[in-house]
Amino acid sequence: MAAIEMVNLTKHYKQGKNVIKALDGVNLKIESGEFVAVVGRSGSGKTTLLDLLGLLLRPTAGTVVIDGVDTSKLKDGDRATMRGESIGFIFQEFNLLPTLNALENVMLPLRYAKKDPQGPARARRLLDEVDLGDRVTHKPTELSGGQSQRVAIARSLVNNPALVLGDEPTGEVDSETSDQLLDLMRRMNREHGVTFVIVTHDMDIAQRADRIIRLKDGKVASDEPIAARELALS
């Protein structure tokens, strides 16, 4: 499980003579095993935050500390290794390779990690856990949107990551399938003890997280545990 601390996390982009403040001094802590939803309008900094947590970007200032590791001090190769071994990703558009079947897609991250003789067996087990044990040889064109995202969820867990990041992971499916996928992610969160951070525009999805972090103009506008907020409203 991953504990995360963001300290003065800042990401600025230059656009001509202007500076775009995608993130502007974010300070947050996420406990191991939490399921956190990040919400906010377009341009609020949600995707930038996710990319910084996933070590896909370097911050302009500040740092991300993951399980005690100050990632700002890591060289590019070490960042790539940490990303491949400790972080799983779920994308809105699934990002499955069309020429590979479900099992082969789940096993893709194993190509970039250290040799793991248990990897193939774990990939099959994960497909069973997401109720796709009978679809291991099916290619993405033979799967529904919900099934494709189940493959993506299994893929995100195949390297036994401490952290899984989801970028609108239910954005391409209908509401019923969205609920089913969230149930699945929450079950994976509990059973595998993995920390989940998902970006979503769907407040019905966000309400089922442990905690909702709302961004506005690159800053934290609010940070509320669900239980505490529900208690305040009761």
Side-chain angles (χ1 to χ4, degrees):
M1 294 188 290
I4 304 165
E5 184 173 7
M6 290 157 262
V7 182
N8 190 35
L9 194 59
T10 300
K11 184 64 179 179
H12 294 171
Y13 298 97
K14 286 188 177 180
Q15 193 174 71
K17 294 182 179 180
N18 298 320
V19 175
I20 307 300
K21 297 180 179 180
L23 280 186
D24 196 19
V26 168
N27 292 284
L28 285 169
K29 289 184 180 181
I30 297 173
E31 301 298 331
S32 296
E34 272 196 291
F35 194 107
V36 175
V38 180
V39 302
R41 292 182 178 179
S42 178
S44 62
K46 303 187 304 297
T47 298
T48 299
L49 178 69
L50 214 64
D51 287 346
L52 289 167
L53 291 180
L55 308 183
L56 297 169
L57 294 175
R58 283 190 179 272
T60 304
T63 190
V64 178
V65 179
I66 300 177
D67 281 342
V69 177
D70 182 346
T71 62
S72 68
K73 297 179 179 179
L74 296 178
K75 295 180 180 179
D76 288 346
D78 293 330
R79 286 167 64 87
T81 297
M82 187 172 189
R83 185 168 58 245
E85 295 180 356
S86 301
I87 304 173
F89 297 87
I90 307 170
F91 303 96
Q92 179 176 353
E93 297 179 351
F94 319 138
N95 285 15
L96 303 182
L97 293 185
T99 58
L100 303 182
N101 64 33
L103 180 62
E104 291 165 339
N105 268 288
V106 172
M107 291 175 59
L108 268 178
L110 299 174
R111 295 184 181 182
Y112 309 106
K114 294 178 181 177
K115 188 174 181 181
D116 181 358
Q118 300 301 316
R122 187 163 58 252
R124 283 185 173 274
R125 187 169 64 251
L126 283 166
L127 282 172
D128 285 334
E129 288 187 35
V130 299
D131 298 324
L132 288 176
D134 59 345
R135 295 288 190 274
V136 293
T137 61
H138 286 58
K139 292 184 177 179
T141 54
E142 302 171 299
L143 300 171
S144 68
Q147 288 173 332
S148 293
Q149 196 61 302
R150 286 172 181 267
V151 173
I153 291 169
R155 180 185 59 194
S156 76
L157 294 166
V158 74
N159 274 344
N160 284 329
L163 170 66
V164 169
L165 304 172
D167 187 4
E168 299 283 3
T170 64
E172 291 293 312
V173 297
D174 60 67
S175 58
E176 182 179 356
T177 304
S178 176
D179 285 342
Q180 293 170 352
L181 288 172
L182 186 64
D183 286 342
L184 174 61
M185 286 186 284
R186 293 264 25 190
R187 179 162 59 84
M188 297 292 102
N189 163 241
R190 291 190 301 268
E191 294 181 359
H192 292 266
V194 179
T195 304
F196 272 73
V197 180
I198 66 168
V199 160
T200 182
H201 69 279
D202 187 335
M203 286 307 297
D204 288 337
I205 295 297
Q207 295 277 0
R208 294 174 62 189
D210 296 325
R211 175 178 167 198
I212 298 177
I213 296 169
R214 186 184 300 275
L215 297 183
K216 182 178 181 181
D217 299 328
K219 296 179 180 291
V220 177
S222 63
D223 178 4
E224 298 179 86
I226 294 293
R229 185 157 48 82
E230 289 178 346
L231 183 61
L233 294 173
S234 62

